[in-house]
Amino acid sequence: MSATTTTASSQGGTPKVSKISEAVIRIAGNSQDGIQAIGGFLARLAGRSEQEVMTFMTIPATISGGPSIFQVRIGSGEVLSAGDEADVLLAFYQHSYEGHLASLRKGGIVLFDADHVVPKPEWEKDYRHVPVKISSLTIEAIGGTAKDKGKNIFALGLIARMFDLNTAKLEKLIGERFGGKDESVLKNALAAFHAGYGYSMGNLTDLFQFSEAQQKGQPQVVMNGNEALAFGLIAAGVRFGAGYPITPWSDIMEILRRELPKYGGMFIQCEDEIASAAMALGASYAGRVAVTGSSGPGIALKMECIGWGIMSETPLVVVDIQRGGPSTGMPTNVEQSDLNIATYGSHGDAPRVVLAPANVEDCFYTAIEAVNIANKYHVPVFILSDQAIATRIEAFPEPDLKKVCQDIAPDLSPVPDYKPYDLTAVDGTSRRVVPGTRILSGKYPVATGLEHDEYGHPSGSPKMHLQMTARRRKKLQSLASTFAAPKVYGPPEGNVLLVGWGSTQGPLREAVDRSRAAGDSVSSLNIRHISPLPNGLEDIFSGFNHVIVVEMNDEGLYGYGQLAAILRARFCDPKIRAVNKTDGLTYKVKEIIERVKTVIAAPAKA
């Protein structure tokens, strides 16, 4: 709420109302308290009010619950990150209060459940404490057995009152969430919401009102990255998927399992990751592009099959929602450390395509691009998302479904002859002819993991292996030539270029805005085509004195993160350096700015 624009004066004990352009609200409790539901309601309300929104959440890795947070940043202008500091902390427990008060800006409001939290006197001078007996008041409102299932909605009412939110829209959202359940569930939820909204919050002397959002002129949709990916795959024409549950990929499985049958498709949960990849490859070979997915440990298991897909040149989309690793690592925390396995995993020379969506909206369109590349170039395509995008909620313009939805059903028209591995094909890519198509020459090809001739028949010829290896490589070199150079955020020349991929795009752009406002010459670049890289990057890098790659993985044995190492290997440019971290949390904007300054101050290594 630092961007307060107008203030109405307080009169006669009535709380004053301040106009604000944005607010960061952090909700801290346990995973079973429904704090994600509160954040989700706030985020979806923002989207339906044409405001911008971005969220951040952490959940415990344990099944039985544990400390959890949900942070939502709502703004009437552009929102590029979930916010460095909270303006309001809603704390349900003592550990929520003590563990997260440091995330609150000085002078911020801590709204706490006085049934469970005892404030510390030494902190009361720095923060505005607002006690409310949330648990017991929820019991009064809806009954004694429902306190743990209703206090989040009571708290939502408190926040709605504090920020003068649109109660009619919130009631509608609550109805959409609980309307399909027993009638008493919705009734209790609305009762808890109204009780919270009507409660007078003691010593809170300020209420807040968001300034009018800029009208965007077209409907917005609100969803998280996993939802955007799943619906993007459906829009792209995918009608078959196979997978095995793992956090944070499982949400995509659930959506595809529920939605694909509506379009004549299906999703199968297999007995393991290997079976999932094999089944998806079989479905792809039979016709349409299919999808499988996982996170780090599951991706490792799929690699044997993905190697087969590369050798047989079978199109496939592989979704990797990255989390902290290796092994089962930190399954509910973010990391960008699967880039190497996505790019180089499997055995032999096994070129494949790797795309990294930059935000929730980009997840939708990246899914379509991945399907089309797989279909045209007959190659597995990785979509490398991460836990931060997967779970964060954003609002973006509703896609024009009439334009983006496509039918990728195979053309079964007879063909005179068909060499799936034609060495004379332009750009190394033949037309795709699927099983069931009549081939007039009578020469039907085969698919195998062995090296093969142009019809797919196994061959141990050294010359053939050399030619086929080169052909598989040339396909992707041809693809790379179609990628436009990414656009620089900020001036195209200057002192520092921040380079990122995936979910760091927003925080990097906000770091650019803050740095430039402070007089520093900083721009940023997001690379979404990771493998192959787009052409033109060296020209962009030449315009800057420092190129700093900011990513969420380890600096490695030689001091560079995974993308930084690829870029240094590609361009042999010593001014490419790295900022890395592996704490399982997303970058704060101030953290980027401070660490980049430290790197620039250090001498560059050759």
Side-chain angles (χ1 to χ4, degrees), residues 46-94:
R48 293 188 183 185
S49 304
E50 301 209 33
Q51 291 171 312
E52 294 226 352
V53 62
M54 189 174 289
T55 68
F56 166 73
M57 63 177 282
T58 66
I59 56 175
T62 51
I63 294 173
S64 59
S68 177
I69 67 160
F70 195 103
Q71 182 163 306
V72 56
R73 183 183 186 187
I74 302 171
S76 300
E78 190 174 36
V79 171
L80 293 172
S81 75
D84 284 1
E85 294 180 314
D87 299 299
V88 174
L89 170 66
L90 169 60
F92 281 124
Y93 303 106
Q94 195 69 27

Side-chain angles (χ1 to χ4, degrees), residues 111-353:
L111 174 64
F112 59 94
D113 187 345
D115 288 320
H116 298 289
V117 177
V118 178
K120 289 182 174 292
E122 64 269 30
W123 289 346
E124 290 187 285
K125 66 180 185 300
D126 290 329
Y127 306 98
R128 298 158 66 187
H129 284 64
V130 180
V132 179
K133 292 189 174 183
I134 295 174
S135 295
S136 53
L137 287 169
T138 303
I139 294 172
E140 286 184 17
I142 61 176
T145 60
K147 63 175 182 177
D148 289 334
K149 296 185 182 299
K151 68 180 182 183
N152 62 330
I153 305 299
F154 182 93
L156 176 66
L158 294 174
I159 292 174
R161 173 68 180 277
M162 184 185 296
F163 288 95
D164 191 27
L165 301 180
N166 188 315
T167 54
K169 288 184 178 179
L170 277 171
E171 287 170 352
K172 186 176 181 183
L173 285 167
I174 293 170
E176 291 172 5
R177 174 68 181 266
F178 299 111
K181 299 185 177 181
D182 186 89
E183 186 179 346
S184 63
V185 176
L186 176 59
K187 182 180 176 183
N188 283 341
L190 290 173
F193 174 72
H194 290 139
Y197 188 82
Y199 182 76
S200 177
M201 285 176 278
N203 61 347
L204 182 64
T205 57
D206 291 303
L207 298 177
F208 307 96
Q209 204 172 57
F210 286 101
S211 54
E212 195 71 23
Q214 185 177 358
Q215 296 299 304
K216 302 184 185 305
Q218 66 181 105
Q220 289 197 114
V221 293
V222 184
M223 60 181 69
N224 65 36
N226 273 356
E227 291 170 324
L229 263 178
F231 289 116
L233 290 167
I234 294 171
V238 169
R239 293 295 179 266
F240 183 87
Y244 187 76
I246 184 173
T247 300
W249 140 265
S250 299
D251 290 346
I252 296 178
M253 277 185 62
E254 288 303 311
I255 295 169
L256 293 177
R257 181 191 59 78
R258 184 185 71 230
E259 297 294 330
L260 277 177
K262 299 177 183 176
Y263 304 93
M266 69 174 69
F267 189 96
I268 295 178
Q269 178 178 325
C270 300
E271 67 269 31
D272 58 34
E273 299 284 4
I274 300 172
S276 304
M279 191 172 287
L281 279 166
S284 271
Y285 181 71
R288 292 171 181 260
V289 177
V291 63
T292 187
S294 190
S295 191
I299 294 296
L301 292 169
K302 292 181 189 293
M303 280 302 170
E304 168 73 19
C305 288
I306 290 168
W308 188 91
I310 291 167
M311 178 60 99
S312 66
E313 300 188 37
T314 303
L316 179 70
V317 172
V318 184
V319 178
D320 181 353
I321 310 297
Q322 301 168 93
R323 61 188 204 179
S327 190
T328 43
M330 298 170 68
T332 56
N333 288 81
V334 67
E335 205 165 271
Q336 294 178 309
S337 52
D338 286 354
L339 187 147
N340 280 344
I341 192 174
T343 306
Y344 303 117
S346 194
H347 43 281
D349 292 304
R352 81 295 303 271
V353 179

